[in-house]
Amino acid sequence: MASKTGTSDRTHVQLRLTVDLVILTVRDGALQVLLVERGNAPFRGRPALPGGFLRPDEDIRDAAVRELAEETGLNGDALPLRQLRVFGRPDRDPRGRIVTVPYLAIAPNLPPPIAGSDATTAKWWPVDALDKDGTSLAFDHDDILRLAIDEAGRELEDTTVATAFCGDTFTIGELRRIYELIWGQALDPRNFNRKVTKADGFLEPVGTRPSREPGRPAMLYRAGPAKRLYPPMLRPNGSEEGAS
Amino acid sequence: MASKTGTSDRTHVQLRLTVDLVILTVRDGALQVLLVERGNAPFRGRPALPGGFLRPDEDIRDAAVRELAEETGLNGDALPLRQLRVFGRPDRDPRGRIVTVPYLAIAPNLPPPIAGSDATTAKWWPVDALDKDGTSLAFDHDDILRLAIDEAGRELEDTTVATAFCGDTFTIGELRRIYELIWGQALDPRNFNRKVTKADGFLEPVGTRPSREPGRPAMLYRAGPAKRLYPPMLRPNGSEEGAS
DNA sequence: CCAAAAGTGTTCCGGCTACACCCATGC
DNA sequence: GCATGGGTGTAGCCGGAACACTTTTGG
């Protein structure tokens, strides 16, 4: 690293670093993302990803965990939290050179308002509603969100994170709807069922759910110990995704 | 992003950002990485990944391309260049808070000394020699290197980057040796042959190589237009890698 | 009885594995 | 001839795709 440029050389920039969180969940049959309303310029009043500046002597991941707790009350250590590629275009923030490290967090269906945080304006937004009415986020957060959803889809393929979208116990149908929502395509319920029940350590049966809807009552499961999924789940299509 | 912390709040850090390059190649039947010898403290005299500080108003990826050109004369725009996750432990650099963005570059077998750069001490190091004699790199570059090799292995599975390790034309045996080196395991030459020749857009035949070694002369190929590989190459083992 | 969701059985097919076998060369 | 690497053929297996069929509920 820069063996040739001494520390006396000051052509390099001092800059600030933020972490931003893409917290995804599934509520009311829709993929939703947690956004806050900006209270200050720039982009005042516009929705933005929750996040904040890195503190001195704070590890970057710790900053993400801290912000997650502040905004949602969730314990980031217990949640799948994944670093995405940084965004650092020189003009991405009018306040100066600010590079951001985005983290993807996948959360179960949480109580709506997420109280107890200083970001009282935090709200869940359905992702496809953003697209449809053309709401655009502050900074380059639209790009970050798109990347995050893309990565989430890829992560569903060979990890068991999908269970993190669900509560403690869930049915296979609920799990399938997670996949269908994020991948943006329908799956065969019967083959899906076989596949996930046979995947070692993915699901553990815990009884039967008395049905409230027409149809045969479903078995209940909880997440098993496995983290990686092999063989991976395959999308009907070969690859690529829309994630409308 | 930090709607609650006004810009007047100064609990957040000013820091500096570097890019580091993990430039991998295959030479003399071994996986090698390009390292420079540090001329200044800290870690003076220790091998390190080439890289340097981000300049004002410079995009991060542009910085990586610039450093790549400075160190190797390679045009980074034409090379597969991929951002890895950032490394930013508060104590990773004794000079202060410095966060680094590592990039993975995969290069064909280059002329050894790589002249014309200011990093005249740049040299190729066989990766497993580093492990064996316990040579450790400056900063946390050992960790970055390990991550990069891991990512390279995963990238071989579903992209055509492996051809970037080869020259303009190459035989299937040469290509196979790339996979074997990075994955650290032997592949069946016959099945490998079929698989890659059938993969659409992966290889284009360009004639026959007169053999210098015993054995039937091999067909020559050049890289085809395809970038992604579907279905992916599968490792004999399910997953995981040693990459000794 | 009908619609709807859950779950099982079965058939088909394509890709991967393993290995037998042929080809072309240097020595 | 023989060792060595290149390449083709082929049989078996496994997993996914498709879909018929049974089960169990609410209306």
Side-chain angles (χ1 to χ4, degrees), chain B residues 6-39:
Chain B
T7 53
S8 58
D9 182 352
R10 276 288 171 275
T11 62
H12 54 259
V13 233
Q14 289 268 124
L15 46 75
R16 283 172 291 168
L17 200 106
T18 58
V19 294
D20 283 317
L21 284 156
V22 183
I23 307 167
L24 296 177
T25 196
V26 169
R27 299 169 50 76
D28 310 326
L31 181 64
Q32 311 211 5
V33 58
L34 189 70
L35 300 177
V36 300
E37 188 181 307
R38 284 190 55 78

Side-chain angles (χ1 to χ4, degrees), chain A residues 53-68:
Chain A
F53 284 100
L54 181 71
R55 294 186 180 161
D57 298 317
E58 184 178 41
D59 188 54
I60 302 174
R61 191 197 158 86
D62 291 343
V65 172
R66 171 176 56 77
E67 290 290 342
L68 182 62

Side-chain angles (χ1 to χ4, degrees), chain A residues 188 190-191 194-195 211 213-217 231 234:
Chain A
D188 186 312
R190 300 157 297 190
N191 292 332
R194 236 194 315 270
K195 172 100 193 197
S211 77
E213 316 237 316
R216 172 177 173 178
L234 291 182

